[in-house]
Amino acid sequence: MNLPSHAPAGRILAVASGKGGVGKTVLAAALAQAFSSKGERLLLIDGDLGMANIDVQLGLQPDADLAAVMSGQVLLEDACIPVLGGPAKPGGFDVISGRSGSGGLAGLRPDAVNRLAAACATIALSYERAILDLAAGADDSTLRLAMAADDVLIVINDEPTSLTDAYAFVKRLRIRDESAAPLVVVNNAPTLNKAREAYGAFRKTCQSFLGFAPALAGLVSRDEHVPLAIRAQSPLSLRSPDCDAMKDIACLAAGLAAGREAA
């Protein structure tokens, strides 16, 4: 991986998945806390233009969101709200929410998506790192936002549909930008062997058909505390900071920050 040993101002990490239901948003939020707990000033942006839900998962009630920004009612920076005490405290970060469950931004014109991508890049300069939680799938808007990021993390699990849909995302991304080199995290892994089998199959497919072997950024264990946190609408890092999944996510964040591939 060609990642810096620390995050320069404005570095954007996009978190993507080929399909829904792989735990992408929970992972993005937990990564935000993991980075910020190490002192990084961090912004988490809900970039799911169709079915945003970061606010629901974190138990937030924002006064403004991306829909208000795109309609010209507020500036992007005015839609930021602090989570876990705010970015000035360890573990705190800022969030820009989407319009939860409305689908209201799903039909944005390409020029509007371009403006949103540019705005995200600009506001990210006020932070050491921004995490952009993308919509599942590989539609044009999602790919455009992914291309605005410095690094793309593709979330997979051991389900065949997860692997095939993630491959479709990587294929479409590299058609647009042949230098794109998304990293892989295997989430909700039942066992270490299952996780490595899933990554191995995905890597082999990408190598065979795209001539590109994506690097493994990390593995996150299946953990009963994750669905409990979702149902409680509470950050996993706050509800169960010492659970196995959160420990794995902390290791993932450390590896991403240091530019290390998973062992």
Side-chain angles (χ1 to χ4, degrees), residues 197-219:
E197 287 175 6
Y199 167 67
F202 183 67
R203 184 181 188 278
K204 182 178 180 179
T205 300
C206 290
Q207 180 68 70
S208 297
F209 295 101
L210 302 177
F212 163 70
L216 178 64
L219 311 171

Side-chain angles (χ1 to χ4, degrees), residues 154-208:
I154 183 80
V155 184
I156 65 173
N157 60 26
D158 62 343
E159 298 175 4
T161 52
S162 167
L163 304 182
T164 56
D165 291 350
Y167 167 77
F169 174 90
V170 174
K171 178 181 178 180
R172 291 204 65 199
L173 182 64
R174 283 180 62 85
I175 287 173
R176 288 179 169 235
D177 178 6
E178 63 182 13
S179 67
L183 307 163
V184 179
V185 58
V186 184
N187 194 35
N188 195 29
T191 66
L192 180 60
N193 285 340
K194 289 286 186 182
R196 293 201 174 279
E197 287 175 6
Y199 167 67
F202 183 67
R203 184 181 188 278
K204 182 178 180 179
T205 300
C206 290
Q207 180 68 70
S208 297

Side-chain angles (χ1 to χ4, degrees), residues 13-258:
L13 171 66
V15 183
S17 66
K19 67 182 290 291
V22 297
K24 172 181 56 61
T25 296
V26 173
L27 179 63
L31 273 174
Q33 192 278 333
F35 282 122
S36 59
S37 68
K38 299 302 182 183
E40 287 193 10
R41 180 168 166 79
L42 191 133
L43 173 66
L44 174 62
I45 304 171
D46 193 336
D48 187 339
L49 302 183
M51 295 296 289
N53 64 0
I54 277 180
D55 56 335
V56 174
Q57 292 206 14
L58 295 181
L60 306 176
Q61 294 183 324
D63 292 327
D65 54 28
L66 275 184
V69 173
M70 297 309 296
S71 66
Q73 298 176 48
V74 300
L75 298 175
L76 191 61
E77 55 266 32
D78 295 329
C80 293
I81 59 173
V83 175
L84 297 176
K89 298 180 181 179
F93 55 93
D94 280 0
V95 172
I96 297 177
S97 300
R99 179 63 58 87
S100 179
S102 72
L105 295 178
L108 280 182
R109 292 168 54 91
D111 60 328
V113 178
N114 287 337
R115 290 197 304 272
L116 176 58
C120 289
T122 298
I123 195 172
L125 293 173
S126 298
Y127 296 81
E128 289 178 90
R129 193 185 307 269
I131 295 178
L132 182 57
D133 180 34
L134 299 175
D139 65 23
D140 290 340
S141 296
T142 299
L143 292 170
R144 175 62 186 90
L145 292 176
M147 291 175 65
D150 299 283
D151 310 296
V152 177
L153 186 67
I154 183 80
V155 184
I156 65 173
N157 60 26
D158 62 343
E159 298 175 4
T161 52
S162 167
L163 304 182
T164 56
D165 291 350
Y167 167 77
F169 174 90
V170 174
K171 178 181 178 180
R172 291 204 65 199
L173 182 64
R174 283 180 62 85
I175 287 173
R176 288 179 169 235
D177 178 6
E178 63 182 13
S179 67
L183 307 163
V184 179
V185 58
V186 184
N187 194 35
N188 195 29
T191 66
L192 180 60
N193 285 340
K194 289 286 186 182
R196 293 201 174 279
E197 287 175 6
Y199 167 67
F202 183 67
R203 184 181 188 278
K204 182 178 180 179
T205 300
C206 290
Q207 180 68 70
S208 297
F209 295 101
L210 302 177
F212 163 70
L216 178 64
L219 311 171
V220 180
S221 304
R222 181 170 297 171
D223 191 323
E224 62 182 6
H225 294 90
V226 174
L228 292 175
I230 294 172
R231 285 195 288 271
Q233 296 183 11
S234 175
L236 178 65
S237 55
L238 185 63
R239 182 179 175 87
S240 304
D242 298 319
C243 70
D244 289 342
M246 197 62 222
K247 290 176 182 177
D248 291 341
I249 292 167
C251 289
L252 170 63
L256 290 169

